[in-house]
């Protein structure tokens, strides 16, 4: 029975570590996307919130005579609004399919912050749990030694 518990503990620790690393790498990706797009020249356009093909809310806007319908890149943990609301969007001049809700795309950094925070929290929990378990094991060994000398 003890071996089964140790196996489950090991598997859960590995899974927690992999999830923490995935969250941290996702934060790095969002930071990179933000850094790549923060200084790109954008043009303000007016758009309307519509329901997209996959059920997500998207923005329909016209840029240089061509109509586009996409989800803004900086809306991961942000409410886009209600259907048929008019909003201002910022369109990348070189790639009109890329649209942001703010000129510098600050929502990407908020998303990166949330992911990094959860990833670091999981790593701290793993480290604390490891420290606690090693100290408990040392105390058990010390107690066993004291019981062995008391019986002799």
């Amino acid at each position: 029975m003890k071996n089964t518990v140790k196996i489950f503990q090991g598997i859960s620790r590995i899974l927690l570590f992999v999830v923490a690393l995935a969250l941290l790498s996702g934060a790095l990706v969002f930071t990179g996307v933000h850094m790549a797009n923060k200084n790109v020249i954008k043009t303000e356009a007016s758009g309307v919130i519509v329901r997209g093909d996959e059920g997500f809310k998207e923005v329909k806007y016209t840029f240089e005579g061509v109509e586009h319908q996409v989800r803004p890149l900086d809306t991961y943990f942000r409410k886009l609004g209600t259907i048929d609301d008019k909003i201002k969007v910022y369109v990348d001049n070189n790639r009109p399919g890329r649209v942001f809700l703010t000129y510098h795309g600050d929502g990407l950094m908020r998303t990166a912050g949330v992911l990094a925070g959860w990833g670091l929290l999981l790593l701290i929990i793993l480290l604390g749990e490891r420290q606690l378990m090693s100290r408990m094991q040392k105390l058990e060994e010390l107690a066993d030694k004291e019981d062995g000398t008391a019986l002799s």
Side-chain angles (χ1 to χ4, degrees):
M1 186 67 176
K2 279 188 172 184
N3 288 337
T4 307
V5 172
K6 286 185 179 184
I7 291 172
F8 281 130
Q9 281 180 341
I11 290 172
S12 67
R13 287 177 187 158
I14 290 170
L15 286 176
L16 215 59
F17 184 70
V18 168
V19 169
L21 287 182
L23 288 170
L24 290 173
S25 63
L28 289 175
V29 167
F30 280 116
T31 302
V33 171
H34 170 74
M35 296 304 281
N37 290 305
K38 74 176 184 176
N39 293 326
V40 172
I41 298 171
K42 300 174 190 79
T43 303
E44 185 178 315
S46 180
V48 177
I49 299 172
V50 295
R51 176 80 53 200
D53 293 337
E54 299 174 0
F56 293 113
K57 294 178 183 174
E58 296 178 345
V59 176
K60 184 185 278 188
Y61 60 96
T62 303
F63 183 72
E64 295 179 349
V66 179
E67 190 171 276
H68 300 275
Q69 180 178 329
V70 294
R71 181 160 176 84
L73 289 175
D74 55 349
T75 59
Y76 291 97
F77 292 110
R78 184 176 178 180
K79 186 177 178 183
L80 190 55
T82 58
I83 304 287
D84 296 330
D85 280 354
K86 290 188 178 188
I87 60 171
K88 287 191 304 185
V89 292
Y90 297 90
V91 183
D92 185 347
N93 289 347
N94 296 329
R95 297 184 200 117
R98 290 184 142 195
V99 64
F100 301 88
L101 292 180
T102 60
Y103 188 79
H104 294 291
D106 298 328
L108 292 167
M109 286 307 289
R110 278 188 228 111
T111 302
V114 168
L115 293 178
W118 280 105
L120 288 174
L121 178 67
L122 289 178
L123 287 177
I124 289 170
I125 289 171
L126 274 172
L127 180 65
E129 189 258 349
R130 184 170 185 260
Q131 289 292 323
L132 179 68
M133 295 305 283
S134 69
R135 288 182 184 182
M136 286 176 56
Q137 186 177 10
K138 286 179 184 178
L139 286 173
E140 286 176 358
E141 290 172 1
L142 185 62
D144 288 343
K145 281 184 184 178
E146 287 178 2
D147 287 342
T149 57
L151 293 176
S152 301

